[in-house]
Amino acid sequence: MPATSGRLAVPLRRRWTLWSGLLVGLALVALAAWAGFNASVRQGTDSLRAEASHQLDLFAQVVQGLVRRLEPLPGTVQLAAEVQALLQRPDAARVATAAAYLRRLNAHLGSASIFVLDERGQVLAASDAALHGQDLSFRPYFLEALSGRVGRHFAIGLLDGQPGYYVSHPIHDGARVAGVAVMKVALDPIDRAWDKLGAPALLADSNQVVILSSRPEWRYTALSGAGGLSVERRVALQTTRLYADRHIAPFPLQVDLRIDEDSQVIEALLPAGLAPPSPGGLLALPSPPGAPRGMLVLGRTIDGMDWRLLMFADLGVVREQALSHALLAALATASALMLALLVNQRRRILRQKLSAHRELEAQVARRTQALSEANEQLRKEVAEREAAEATLRGAQDELVHAGKMAALGQLATGITHELTQPLGAIRTLSANAVQFMDRGQHEVAAGNLAMMARLADQMGAIIEPLKGFARKSSARPAVTPVDRAMRNALFLHDHRLRREGVAVIDEVPPGLCAWCDPNRLEQVLINLVGNAADAMHDAPRRELRLWAGEVGGMVDGMVEIHVSDCGSGLPEDVRQRLFEPFFSTKADGGGLGLGLAISRDIAREAGGELEADNAPGGGARFILRLPVPLPSPPNPLASSPSP
């Protein structure tokens, strides 16, 4: 009996060892799957966060540029003589004159409306006749301007019901605020730009009310907690009627925003994700708790406006990829365990039959060597993938750095320099004319007035090239004089070229025309001239050579425009990457590396091309090719004999 019990105990121990090893193996496989899933989720979320942050930075710059581009202009309304006369005595004739001036100014700037209020909040004159006589004294932008500050507020128009960004400036009569000038900027371009983000997004104003969104059901909801706006805030909004008569409901999602005070970066996580929009425009609810998808919420605060831009990035792809990685980790761990078990079993058999299986031992050694080589190759591949991931992270950092767009300052500098002298002369001549008229020397006073008129014409000629360039429009090809576009481009860089001593050799013949959009041609030439000036910043000889001519036949002819500088030229490695987006040879902060890429796209959109090489005499040369306007077909009716 004792011997029988001993023989039975051996299979039990083996069975217990087998089941214990199986449970440990399953636990290791599950642990590897869990670790692979978490690591993949973290890495995928970081990659998605970096990519979405870059897109959000670019879109925030677009929103700021669209909304704030006309912000300083209402301050110039008080300089108009029509407005000053209207505030002094608002009779019918002066109201009509001021309204005509505001209509012209509104059409030129492309704003929604411009209007002038008196110190009681009554609209005296407006570009839109329907606003005349309206009482807007309850609007916050009027109250801020009346107190001497610049007002900036979102509001819905009382008459047209359209949302807009209102900018107000006080109109001073000495130290007293005699009136208020208000400009309404339309927000339609932002609605048309939501698709560029490729994800749900919204824009909230300083009251934390969603004013614009890619999902219509989110508009005019409050982000301030589940309870929505407080009673005091609702009463204040009803008094100012910023949102007209719309009911401000709570935002349908509970988003716990975390705001970095230094960088103004906003971030949150919605584990349940978003549901698709409900039929009939009802508010969307979060996805069911069992849904695998989640959303990463990223946001930015628009500089100078206290508006928040939020974007909802889908984490579904990250989780699906993490599941794949978890499965691969589990399979790899199971394979390793099986391999370890197989090796251990084979070694045990080899130890038992070592003397009888010499050849089998050699075969196992060869297989072990092959396995070692495979492991070494696997380690090399892992090292290569880690290096590729480091390179990818560096590229992502460069993309984030590229979102820091610089404001265009050279335009304001050039215009200020060109207008300072005529304005000073007009001031002096006007004072002299008053004295001559008091003395009865009317002829001398008339001469001064004539000189003032010529100076005013000179100032108009300075401002004229800016009208077409400042207008935002889509590409409309037309017969475009090349010399006029080149003159406008040189005008914008005139102050800088003269300051840096750049000699301009203009060989662009008059009358040469190309078939393209005039504004976009000026944009390309301004970029090329600016790059040429940058290339010659440290050159001993600074000479900018401009040449244009027609090449090819009548059917396939092209207009070539050459912009050459006397800089250090283009090395081969730089020339190969010159038109890549975000590639720049300038110092940090000197440029984004997008100007040449955008210029080439403009040339190709017009049916042409933009190339770069080294000029024969040294320096770089950019060659812009554009189609020649086709001749108009003859009119057969014009030459037919009359009956």
Side-chain angles (χ1 to χ4, degrees):
M1 286 298 294
T4 305
S5 300
R7 287 194 298 269
L8 292 176
V10 173
L12 289 177
R13 285 196 301 268
R14 291 179 179 178
R15 187 178 301 175
W16 173 254
T17 303
L18 177 62
W19 282 106
S20 299
L22 181 60
L23 290 177
V24 171
L26 291 177
L28 290 176
V29 170
L31 182 61
W34 177 79
F37 179 83
N38 288 339
S40 180
V41 167
R42 287 194 299 269
Q43 180 181 358
T45 303
D46 292 340
S47 299
L48 180 63
R49 181 184 291 107
E51 181 180 358
S53 296
H54 171 62
Q55 294 179 353
L56 196 62
D57 286 336
L58 294 179
F59 195 82
Q61 293 290 340
V62 172
V63 171
Q64 184 176 353
L66 290 175
V67 175
R68 301 191 64 188
R69 60 189 178 89
L70 301 178
E71 188 173 289
L73 296 178
T76 63
V77 173
Q78 64 178 341
L79 302 178
E82 297 88 341
V83 175
Q84 293 289 347
L86 174 65
L87 292 176
Q88 292 176 1
R89 193 178 67 215
D91 54 23
R94 295 187 178 186
V95 168
T97 302
Y101 165 74
L102 295 178
R103 283 194 296 271
R104 293 193 304 270
L105 181 61
N106 185 65
H108 173 67
L109 298 177
S111 55
S113 62
I114 303 176
F115 48 93
V116 176
L117 302 89
D118 61 11
E119 56 186 351
R120 296 174 301 173
Q122 301 289 330
V123 178
L124 298 179
S127 59
D128 185 1
L131 291 174
H132 182 72
Q134 292 291 324
D135 183 6
L136 302 179
S137 59
F138 57 90
R139 288 294 202 186
Y141 55 79
F142 167 75
L143 298 176
E144 290 191 13
L146 189 63
S147 62
R149 300 188 301 269
V150 177
R152 304 178 182 89
H153 285 277
F154 167 86
I156 297 177
L158 298 179
L159 299 180
D160 56 9
Q162 296 299 319
Y165 178 64
Y166 289 81
V167 182
S168 61
H169 279 256
I171 301 177
H172 292 276
D173 182 7
R176 183 179 67 90
V177 177
V180 175
V182 183
M183 173 183 291
K184 177 182 180 182
V185 181
L187 302 178
D188 295 340
I190 301 178
D191 273 336
R192 294 192 293 269
W194 288 123
D195 294 338
K196 297 180 180 179
L197 279 177
L202 60 86
L203 190 65
D205 64 358
S206 57
N207 295 317
Q208 299 304 307
V209 174
V210 179
I211 56 176
L212 294 175
S213 175
S214 60
R215 300 183 71 154
E217 65 270 16
W218 288 355
R219 295 188 181 182
Y220 305 113
T221 59
L223 294 175
S224 54
L229 298 174
S230 62
V231 177
E232 295 79 2
R233 175 62 64 181
R234 290 182 180 274
V235 172
L237 295 181
Q238 290 177 358
T239 303
T240 58
R241 299 188 66 189
L242 292 181
Y243 311 102
D245 298 328
R246 287 172 172 80
H247 174 67
I248 308 301
F251 191 67
L253 305 176
Q254 183 65 31
V255 182
D256 185 15
L257 298 178
R258 298 186 299 275
I259 304 176
D260 188 344
E261 297 296 339
D262 295 331
S263 62
Q264 293 299 305
V265 174
I266 304 170
E267 185 173 332
L269 182 64
L270 295 178
L274 302 177
S278 304
L282 299 178
L283 292 177
L285 298 176
S287 301
R293 311 182 74 86
M295 301 296 292
L296 179 64
V297 184
L298 295 177
R300 295 291 185 275
T301 299
I302 306 300
D303 185 25
M305 300 172 60
D306 202 17
W307 286 9
R308 290 183 178 178
L309 177 64
L310 300 182
M311 182 178 73
F312 297 77
D314 189 5
L315 291 173
V317 178
V318 174
R319 296 187 178 274
E320 292 174 0
Q321 186 178 10
L323 290 175
S324 301
H325 290 170
L327 180 59
L328 290 176
L331 291 176
T333 304
S335 300
L337 291 176
M338 291 297 295
L339 182 60
L341 180 62
L342 178 61
V343 170
N344 182 60
Q345 183 69 13
R346 188 168 296 276
R347 286 180 178 178
R348 187 175 65 84
I349 295 174
L350 287 175
R351 283 195 303 267
Q352 293 175 355
K353 301 179 179 180
L354 181 61
S355 60
H357 299 281
R358 299 288 183 182
E359 184 179 357
L360 181 60
E361 183 180 5
Q363 183 179 359
V364 171
R366 290 193 297 268
R367 291 185 179 181
T368 305
Q369 180 65 25
L371 180 61
S372 300
E373 294 176 355
N375 289 335
E376 181 65 25
Q377 183 65 27
L378 180 60
R379 284 193 293 269
K380 292 181 179 179
E381 291 179 359
V382 170
E384 292 177 356
R385 292 185 180 180
E386 290 177 351
E389 291 176 359
T391 303
L392 177 59
R393 286 192 293 270
Q396 290 170 346
D397 292 339
E398 289 298 326
L399 289 177
V400 172
H401 177 69
K404 302 175 182 178
M405 293 188 173
L408 296 177
Q410 61 180 9
L411 178 60
T413 303
I415 295 302
T416 303
H417 179 79
E418 295 295 337
L419 294 181
T420 300
Q421 293 180 350
L423 283 174
I426 290 177
R427 187 184 302 110
T428 302
L429 291 172
S430 61
N432 292 340
V434 172
Q435 295 181 1
F436 288 137
M437 293 179 67
D438 292 340
R439 299 173 184 174
Q441 298 176 353
H442 297 289
E443 294 181 357
V444 180
N448 284 8
L449 294 177
M451 292 178 65
M452 292 169 62
R454 288 195 299 273
L455 290 174
D457 293 339
Q458 179 182 349
M459 294 170 64
I462 292 174
I463 300 174
E464 183 65 27
L466 300 177
K467 294 181 179 179
F469 180 73
R471 186 179 299 113
K472 180 70 175 180
S473 62
S474 58
R476 295 181 180 178
V479 178
T480 303
V482 177
D483 58 335
R484 184 172 61 187
M486 186 64 75
R487 285 197 307 270
N488 292 341
L490 290 174
F491 168 76
L492 295 180
H493 291 285
D494 180 67
H495 177 64
R496 178 186 178 183
L497 295 176
R498 284 188 287 148
R499 185 186 67 227
E500 297 182 359
V502 178
V504 179
I505 302 177
D506 189 356
E507 298 178 348
V508 179
L512 179 63
C513 296
W515 181 255
C516 62
D517 183 85
N519 290 335
R520 298 198 174 188
L521 175 57
E522 290 184 16
Q523 181 179 352
V524 174
L525 294 178
I526 289 171
N527 184 47
L528 295 181
V529 172
N531 287 347
D534 292 337
M536 296 185 294
H537 185 268
D538 298 326
R541 183 172 63 94
R542 301 175 184 177
E543 182 178 279
L544 176 64
R545 183 176 295 274
L546 309 173
W547 179 89
E550 186 174 341
V551 296
M554 181 178 297
V555 178
D556 57 349
M558 302 289 285
V559 172
E560 276 195 4
I561 304 173
H562 295 185
V563 178
S564 306
D565 58 61
C566 294
S568 58
L570 299 173
E572 183 61 25
D573 57 340
V574 174
R575 192 174 67 86
Q576 294 294 334
R577 302 184 57 195
L578 198 59
F579 295 98
E580 291 183 8
F582 303 109
F583 174 75
S584 176
T585 59
K586 299 177 182 178
D588 292 343
L592 297 179
L594 293 175
L596 290 177
I598 294 174
S599 298
R600 172 174 275 188
D601 290 341
I602 291 174
R604 289 180 175 177
E605 182 181 6
E609 185 56 80
L610 177 61
E611 299 176 351
D613 61 2
N614 289 312
R621 176 177 63 181
F622 287 84
I623 302 174
L624 174 63
R625 296 187 180 91
L626 296 171
V628 175
L630 295 178
S632 302
N635 188 358
L637 299 178
S639 59
S640 59
S642 56

